[in-house]
Amino acid sequence: LMALRPLRVSAEDRRALGIPDGEKPLAFAFTVHRQPVAATRTALYLPDRCIPWHLVAKAEWSDPFLEIVATAGPRGELIRLEFEDPGRLPPVIRERVTDSVIITEHRDLPTGVGATFAARRLPGDEIAWSVTFDSGVDPTDPINQAHATEVLAELRSTLGV
């Protein structure tokens, strides 16, 4: 059995990623373009930003690519990173995302369109809800927004979350 060595991330890479002093990287790797990427207990740190786990809607590893869908408002944003050696990033990312999910439920709205409602755990004991409309659905349509608000209120009260 191989012992895991302590994860060492250089001060330069920590600074480049903006990892706060008290935050401990759980996994770290470089993309094929030598850009640092780190996963901590609270977030995924990329070269140009930090994405808290509750905003990672989906993460899939398909060698050599890591695809992340980050929820930024009602639409998801696809981030695709290529690694020669991802180390422990894929399993750690999966664990962190899974651990933050309390519930995910897809619902059809009265207008016939669909949306996914998710309750995610934030650092501390707070909970954040998100609504992601299905592909092709206008998230800015006031009717879609109103129906989504109704479904969200119903889910929150029936689930007590």
Side-chain angles (χ1 to χ4, degrees), residues 50-75:
C50 165
I51 305 170
W53 293 120
H54 72 279
L55 296 180
V56 177
K58 189 161 108 178
E60 289 183 346
W61 171 251
S62 179
D63 197 4
F65 296 102
L66 177 63
E67 290 188 348
I68 296 153
V69 176
T71 54
R75 291 242 187 263

PDB file of all heavy atoms in Angstrom, residues 50-75:
ATOM      1  N   CYS A  50     -12.289  31.410  -8.679  1.00  0.00           N
ATOM      2  CA  CYS A  50     -12.589  30.428  -7.644  1.00  0.00           C
ATOM      3  C   CYS A  50     -14.069  30.107  -7.770  1.00  0.00           C
ATOM      4  O   CYS A  50     -14.902  31.016  -7.834  1.00  0.00           O
ATOM      5  CB  CYS A  50     -12.270  31.063  -6.294  1.00  0.00           C
ATOM      6  SG  CYS A  50     -12.967  30.187  -4.914  1.00  0.00           S
ATOM      7  N   ILE A  51     -14.416  28.820  -7.819  1.00  0.00           N
ATOM      8  CA  ILE A  51     -15.820  28.409  -7.923  1.00  0.00           C
ATOM      9  C   ILE A  51     -16.184  27.616  -6.664  1.00  0.00           C
ATOM     10  O   ILE A  51     -15.717  26.483  -6.490  1.00  0.00           O
ATOM     11  CB  ILE A  51     -16.065  27.538  -9.178  1.00  0.00           C
ATOM     12  CG1 ILE A  51     -15.597  28.249 -10.440  1.00  0.00           C
ATOM     13  CG2 ILE A  51     -17.551  27.171  -9.276  1.00  0.00           C
ATOM     14  CD1 ILE A  51     -15.593  27.369 -11.675  1.00  0.00           C
ATOM     15  N   PRO A  52     -17.012  28.196  -5.786  1.00  0.00           N
ATOM     16  CA  PRO A  52     -17.449  27.444  -4.600  1.00  0.00           C
ATOM     17  C   PRO A  52     -18.193  26.174  -5.032  1.00  0.00           C
ATOM     18  O   PRO A  52     -18.855  26.158  -6.074  1.00  0.00           O
ATOM     19  CB  PRO A  52     -18.395  28.421  -3.889  1.00  0.00           C
ATOM     20  CG  PRO A  52     -18.041  29.774  -4.423  1.00  0.00           C
ATOM     21  CD  PRO A  52     -17.572  29.545  -5.826  1.00  0.00           C
ATOM     22  N   TRP A  53     -18.093  25.114  -4.240  1.00  0.00           N
ATOM     23  CA  TRP A  53     -18.663  23.817  -4.630  1.00  0.00           C
ATOM     24  C   TRP A  53     -20.154  23.878  -4.923  1.00  0.00           C
ATOM     25  O   TRP A  53     -20.638  23.189  -5.816  1.00  0.00           O
ATOM     26  CB  TRP A  53     -18.381  22.751  -3.570  1.00  0.00           C
ATOM     27  CG  TRP A  53     -16.922  22.435  -3.482  1.00  0.00           C
ATOM     28  CD1 TRP A  53     -16.121  22.580  -2.391  1.00  0.00           C
ATOM     29  CD2 TRP A  53     -16.084  21.975  -4.538  1.00  0.00           C
ATOM     30  NE1 TRP A  53     -14.833  22.227  -2.716  1.00  0.00           N
ATOM     31  CE2 TRP A  53     -14.778  21.847  -4.024  1.00  0.00           C
ATOM     32  CE3 TRP A  53     -16.294  21.656  -5.876  1.00  0.00           C
ATOM     33  CZ2 TRP A  53     -13.699  21.412  -4.789  1.00  0.00           C
ATOM     34  CZ3 TRP A  53     -15.222  21.216  -6.644  1.00  0.00           C
ATOM     35  CH2 TRP A  53     -13.943  21.105  -6.099  1.00  0.00           C
ATOM     36  N   HIS A  54     -20.898  24.708  -4.210  1.00  0.00           N
ATOM     37  CA  HIS A  54     -22.336  24.760  -4.456  1.00  0.00           C
ATOM     38  C   HIS A  54     -22.676  25.359  -5.825  1.00  0.00           C
ATOM     39  O   HIS A  54     -23.800  25.256  -6.278  1.00  0.00           O
ATOM     40  CB  HIS A  54     -23.064  25.501  -3.328  1.00  0.00           C
ATOM     41  CG  HIS A  54     -22.849  26.973  -3.321  1.00  0.00           C
ATOM     42  ND1 HIS A  54     -21.722  27.546  -2.787  1.00  0.00           N
ATOM     43  CD2 HIS A  54     -23.612  27.978  -3.796  1.00  0.00           C
ATOM     44  CE1 HIS A  54     -21.806  28.850  -2.935  1.00  0.00           C
ATOM     45  NE2 HIS A  54     -22.934  29.146  -3.543  1.00  0.00           N
ATOM     46  N   LEU A  55     -21.683  25.941  -6.503  1.00  0.00           N
ATOM     47  CA  LEU A  55     -21.902  26.486  -7.850  1.00  0.00           C
ATOM     48  C   LEU A  55     -21.386  25.553  -8.947  1.00  0.00           C
ATOM     49  O   LEU A  55     -21.427  25.894 -10.126  1.00  0.00           O
ATOM     50  CB  LEU A  55     -21.264  27.870  -7.986  1.00  0.00           C
ATOM     51  CG  LEU A  55     -21.859  28.951  -7.075  1.00  0.00           C
ATOM     52  CD1 LEU A  55     -21.149  30.277  -7.283  1.00  0.00           C
ATOM     53  CD2 LEU A  55     -23.357  29.094  -7.308  1.00  0.00           C
ATOM     54  N   VAL A  56     -20.887  24.379  -8.566  1.00  0.00           N
ATOM     55  CA  VAL A  56     -20.469  23.378  -9.557  1.00  0.00           C
ATOM     56  C   VAL A  56     -21.658  22.439  -9.754  1.00  0.00           C
ATOM     57  O   VAL A  56     -21.962  21.613  -8.908  1.00  0.00           O
ATOM     58  CB  VAL A  56     -19.217  22.593  -9.103  1.00  0.00           C
ATOM     59  CG1 VAL A  56     -18.859  21.516 -10.129  1.00  0.00           C
ATOM     60  CG2 VAL A  56     -18.042  23.543  -8.896  1.00  0.00           C
ATOM     61  N   ALA A  57     -22.346  22.617 -10.894  1.00  0.00           N
ATOM     62  CA  ALA A  57     -23.537  21.805 -11.169  1.00  0.00           C
ATOM     63  C   ALA A  57     -23.163  20.387 -11.557  1.00  0.00           C
ATOM     64  O   ALA A  57     -23.852  19.431 -11.228  1.00  0.00           O
ATOM     65  CB  ALA A  57     -24.360  22.454 -12.278  1.00  0.00           C
ATOM     66  N   LYS A  58     -22.029  20.256 -12.264  1.00  0.00           N
ATOM     67  CA  LYS A  58     -21.641  18.937 -12.762  1.00  0.00           C
ATOM     68  C   LYS A  58     -20.144  18.940 -13.022  1.00  0.00           C
ATOM     69  O   LYS A  58     -19.581  19.952 -13.440  1.00  0.00           O
ATOM     70  CB  LYS A  58     -22.404  18.683 -14.062  1.00  0.00           C
ATOM     71  CG  LYS A  58     -22.272  17.284 -14.604  1.00  0.00           C
ATOM     72  CD  LYS A  58     -23.389  17.019 -15.585  1.00  0.00           C
ATOM     73  CE  LYS A  58     -22.880  16.978 -16.994  1.00  0.00           C
ATOM     74  NZ  LYS A  58     -23.909  16.679 -17.971  1.00  0.00           N
ATOM     75  N   ALA A  59     -19.507  17.818 -12.792  1.00  0.00           N
ATOM     76  CA  ALA A  59     -18.083  17.654 -13.093  1.00  0.00           C
ATOM     77  C   ALA A  59     -17.885  16.244 -13.632  1.00  0.00           C
ATOM     78  O   ALA A  59     -18.311  15.280 -13.010  1.00  0.00           O
ATOM     79  CB  ALA A  59     -17.241  17.874 -11.842  1.00  0.00           C
ATOM     80  N   GLU A  60     -17.292  16.148 -14.807  1.00  0.00           N
ATOM     81  CA  GLU A  60     -17.058  14.835 -15.420  1.00  0.00           C
ATOM     82  C   GLU A  60     -15.619  14.721 -15.884  1.00  0.00           C
ATOM     83  O   GLU A  60     -15.081  15.647 -16.499  1.00  0.00           O
ATOM     84  CB  GLU A  60     -17.981  14.645 -16.629  1.00  0.00           C
ATOM     85  CG  GLU A  60     -19.426  14.453 -16.256  1.00  0.00           C
ATOM     86  CD  GLU A  60     -20.304  14.198 -17.481  1.00  0.00           C
ATOM     87  OE1 GLU A  60     -19.848  14.432 -18.622  1.00  0.00           O
ATOM     88  OE2 GLU A  60     -21.447  13.769 -17.280  1.00  0.00           O
ATOM     89  N   TRP A  61     -15.036  13.560 -15.621  1.00  0.00           N
ATOM     90  CA  TRP A  61     -13.678  13.273 -16.061  1.00  0.00           C
ATOM     91  C   TRP A  61     -13.753  12.296 -17.213  1.00  0.00           C
ATOM     92  O   TRP A  61     -14.344  11.228 -17.107  1.00  0.00           O
ATOM     93  CB  TRP A  61     -12.863  12.677 -14.921  1.00  0.00           C
ATOM     94  CG  TRP A  61     -11.534  12.169 -15.368  1.00  0.00           C
ATOM     95  CD1 TRP A  61     -11.155  10.868 -15.460  1.00  0.00           C
ATOM     96  CD2 TRP A  61     -10.415  12.936 -15.794  1.00  0.00           C
ATOM     97  NE1 TRP A  61      -9.868  10.782 -15.924  1.00  0.00           N
ATOM     98  CE2 TRP A  61      -9.392  12.047 -16.143  1.00  0.00           C
ATOM     99  CE3 TRP A  61     -10.180  14.310 -15.937  1.00  0.00           C
ATOM    100  CZ2 TRP A  61      -8.147  12.471 -16.598  1.00  0.00           C
ATOM    101  CZ3 TRP A  61      -8.934  14.723 -16.390  1.00  0.00           C
ATOM    102  CH2 TRP A  61      -7.937  13.813 -16.712  1.00  0.00           C
ATOM    103  N   SER A  62     -13.178  12.670 -18.351  1.00  0.00           N
ATOM    104  CA  SER A  62     -13.053  11.786 -19.505  1.00  0.00           C
ATOM    105  C   SER A  62     -11.647  12.003 -20.033  1.00  0.00           C
ATOM    106  O   SER A  62     -11.394  12.962 -20.761  1.00  0.00           O
ATOM    107  CB  SER A  62     -14.116  12.136 -20.554  1.00  0.00           C
ATOM    108  OG  SER A  62     -13.979  11.292 -21.667  1.00  0.00           O
ATOM    109  N   ASP A  63     -10.733  11.147 -19.597  1.00  0.00           N
ATOM    110  CA  ASP A  63      -9.313  11.285 -19.861  1.00  0.00           C
ATOM    111  C   ASP A  63      -9.033  11.775 -21.281  1.00  0.00           C
ATOM    112  O   ASP A  63      -9.512  11.174 -22.226  1.00  0.00           O
ATOM    113  CB  ASP A  63      -8.650   9.917 -19.625  1.00  0.00           C
ATOM    114  CG  ASP A  63      -7.139  10.012 -19.475  1.00  0.00           C
ATOM    115  OD1 ASP A  63      -6.613  11.129 -19.483  1.00  0.00           O
ATOM    116  OD2 ASP A  63      -6.494   8.952 -19.353  1.00  0.00           O
ATOM    117  N   PRO A  64      -8.323  12.873 -21.470  1.00  0.00           N
ATOM    118  CA  PRO A  64      -7.572  13.699 -20.515  1.00  0.00           C
ATOM    119  C   PRO A  64      -8.311  14.976 -20.091  1.00  0.00           C
ATOM    120  O   PRO A  64      -7.696  15.920 -19.616  1.00  0.00           O
ATOM    121  CB  PRO A  64      -6.334  14.078 -21.325  1.00  0.00           C
ATOM    122  CG  PRO A  64      -6.879  14.297 -22.713  1.00  0.00           C
ATOM    123  CD  PRO A  64      -7.996  13.262 -22.858  1.00  0.00           C
ATOM    124  N   PHE A  65      -9.634  15.010 -20.275  1.00  0.00           N
ATOM    125  CA  PHE A  65     -10.373  16.242 -20.018  1.00  0.00           C
ATOM    126  C   PHE A  65     -11.213  16.197 -18.745  1.00  0.00           C
ATOM    127  O   PHE A  65     -11.838  15.186 -18.446  1.00  0.00           O
ATOM    128  CB  PHE A  65     -11.314  16.564 -21.185  1.00  0.00           C
ATOM    129  CG  PHE A  65     -10.585  16.832 -22.468  1.00  0.00           C
ATOM    130  CD1 PHE A  65     -10.511  15.856 -23.445  1.00  0.00           C
ATOM    131  CD2 PHE A  65      -9.961  18.051 -22.695  1.00  0.00           C
ATOM    132  CE1 PHE A  65      -9.832  16.086 -24.634  1.00  0.00           C
ATOM    133  CE2 PHE A  65      -9.281  18.291 -23.870  1.00  0.00           C
ATOM    134  CZ  PHE A  65      -9.212  17.307 -24.845  1.00  0.00           C
ATOM    135  N   LEU A  66     -11.232  17.325 -18.053  1.00  0.00           N
ATOM    136  CA  LEU A  66     -12.126  17.536 -16.930  1.00  0.00           C
ATOM    137  C   LEU A  66     -13.112  18.604 -17.393  1.00  0.00           C
ATOM    138  O   LEU A  66     -12.702  19.689 -17.785  1.00  0.00           O
ATOM    139  CB  LEU A  66     -11.359  18.032 -15.707  1.00  0.00           C
ATOM    140  CG  LEU A  66     -12.198  18.359 -14.473  1.00  0.00           C
ATOM    141  CD1 LEU A  66     -12.915  17.117 -13.951  1.00  0.00           C
ATOM    142  CD2 LEU A  66     -11.324  18.962 -13.386  1.00  0.00           C
ATOM    143  N   GLU A  67     -14.400  18.244 -17.407  1.00  0.00           N
ATOM    144  CA  GLU A  67     -15.433  19.193 -17.805  1.00  0.00           C
ATOM    145  C   GLU A  67     -16.258  19.551 -16.583  1.00  0.00           C
ATOM    146  O   GLU A  67     -16.758  18.668 -15.886  1.00  0.00           O
ATOM    147  CB  GLU A  67     -16.325  18.611 -18.891  1.00  0.00           C
ATOM    148  CG  GLU A  67     -15.611  18.483 -20.210  1.00  0.00           C
ATOM    149  CD  GLU A  67     -16.522  18.097 -21.363  1.00  0.00           C
ATOM    150  OE1 GLU A  67     -17.680  17.711 -21.111  1.00  0.00           O
ATOM    151  OE2 GLU A  67     -16.068  18.172 -22.501  1.00  0.00           O
ATOM    152  N   ILE A  68     -16.380  20.845 -16.361  1.00  0.00           N
ATOM    153  CA  ILE A  68     -17.113  21.356 -15.209  1.00  0.00           C
ATOM    154  C   ILE A  68     -18.215  22.263 -15.722  1.00  0.00           C
ATOM    155  O   ILE A  68     -17.978  23.119 -16.580  1.00  0.00           O
ATOM    156  CB  ILE A  68     -16.174  22.159 -14.291  1.00  0.00           C
ATOM    157  CG1 ILE A  68     -15.099  21.220 -13.729  1.00  0.00           C
ATOM    158  CG2 ILE A  68     -16.942  22.840 -13.165  1.00  0.00           C
ATOM    159  CD1 ILE A  68     -13.843  21.896 -13.376  1.00  0.00           C
ATOM    160  N   VAL A  69     -19.420  22.067 -15.211  1.00  0.00           N
ATOM    161  CA  VAL A  69     -20.507  22.994 -15.512  1.00  0.00           C
ATOM    162  C   VAL A  69     -20.722  23.804 -14.247  1.00  0.00           C
ATOM    163  O   VAL A  69     -21.095  23.266 -13.203  1.00  0.00           O
ATOM    164  CB  VAL A  69     -21.806  22.270 -15.929  1.00  0.00           C
ATOM    165  CG1 VAL A  69     -22.926  23.281 -16.145  1.00  0.00           C
ATOM    166  CG2 VAL A  69     -21.574  21.453 -17.192  1.00  0.00           C
ATOM    167  N   ALA A  70     -20.419  25.098 -14.361  1.00  0.00           N
ATOM    168  CA  ALA A  70     -20.601  26.005 -13.231  1.00  0.00           C
ATOM    169  C   ALA A  70     -21.904  26.758 -13.424  1.00  0.00           C
ATOM    170  O   ALA A  70     -22.188  27.216 -14.532  1.00  0.00           O
ATOM    171  CB  ALA A  70     -19.429  26.986 -13.155  1.00  0.00           C
ATOM    172  N   THR A  71     -22.689  26.858 -12.388  1.00  0.00           N
ATOM    173  CA  THR A  71     -23.943  27.594 -12.502  1.00  0.00           C
ATOM    174  C   THR A  71     -23.664  29.051 -12.211  1.00  0.00           C
ATOM    175  O   THR A  71     -23.238  29.404 -11.122  1.00  0.00           O
ATOM    176  CB  THR A  71     -25.020  27.070 -11.539  1.00  0.00           C
ATOM    177  OG1 THR A  71     -24.490  27.079 -10.216  1.00  0.00           O
ATOM    178  CG2 THR A  71     -25.460  25.674 -11.899  1.00  0.00           C
ATOM    179  N   ALA A  72     -23.863  29.845 -13.210  1.00  0.00           N
ATOM    180  CA  ALA A  72     -23.715  31.292 -13.069  1.00  0.00           C
ATOM    181  C   ALA A  72     -25.060  31.860 -13.481  1.00  0.00           C
ATOM    182  O   ALA A  72     -25.316  32.065 -14.655  1.00  0.00           O
ATOM    183  CB  ALA A  72     -22.594  31.804 -13.965  1.00  0.00           C
ATOM    184  N   GLY A  73     -25.949  32.012 -12.509  1.00  0.00           N
ATOM    185  CA  GLY A  73     -27.298  32.450 -12.838  1.00  0.00           C
ATOM    186  C   GLY A  73     -28.086  31.276 -13.374  1.00  0.00           C
ATOM    187  O   GLY A  73     -27.818  30.122 -13.051  1.00  0.00           O
ATOM    188  N   PRO A  74     -29.053  31.538 -14.247  1.00  0.00           N
ATOM    189  CA  PRO A  74     -29.942  30.480 -14.720  1.00  0.00           C
ATOM    190  C   PRO A  74     -29.342  29.575 -15.795  1.00  0.00           C
ATOM    191  O   PRO A  74     -29.908  28.578 -16.156  1.00  0.00           O
ATOM    192  CB  PRO A  74     -31.145  31.251 -15.270  1.00  0.00           C
ATOM    193  CG  PRO A  74     -30.589  32.583 -15.637  1.00  0.00           C
ATOM    194  CD  PRO A  74     -29.463  32.855 -14.695  1.00  0.00           C
ATOM    195  N   ARG A  75     -28.213  29.919 -16.335  1.00  0.00           N
ATOM    196  CA  ARG A  75     -27.568  29.104 -17.367  1.00  0.00           C
ATOM    197  C   ARG A  75     -26.270  28.520 -16.822  1.00  0.00           C
ATOM    198  O   ARG A  75     -25.576  29.163 -16.038  1.00  0.00           O
ATOM    199  CB  ARG A  75     -27.237  29.964 -18.589  1.00  0.00           C
ATOM    200  CG  ARG A  75     -28.434  30.430 -19.338  1.00  0.00           C
ATOM    201  CD  ARG A  75     -28.377  29.871 -20.750  1.00  0.00           C
ATOM    202  NE  ARG A  75     -29.436  30.444 -21.555  1.00  0.00           N
ATOM    203  CZ  ARG A  75     -30.596  29.848 -21.777  1.00  0.00           C
ATOM    204  NH1 ARG A  75     -30.849  28.696 -21.230  1.00  0.00           N
ATOM    205  NH2 ARG A  75     -31.490  30.424 -22.534  1.00  0.00           N
TER     206      ARG A  75
END
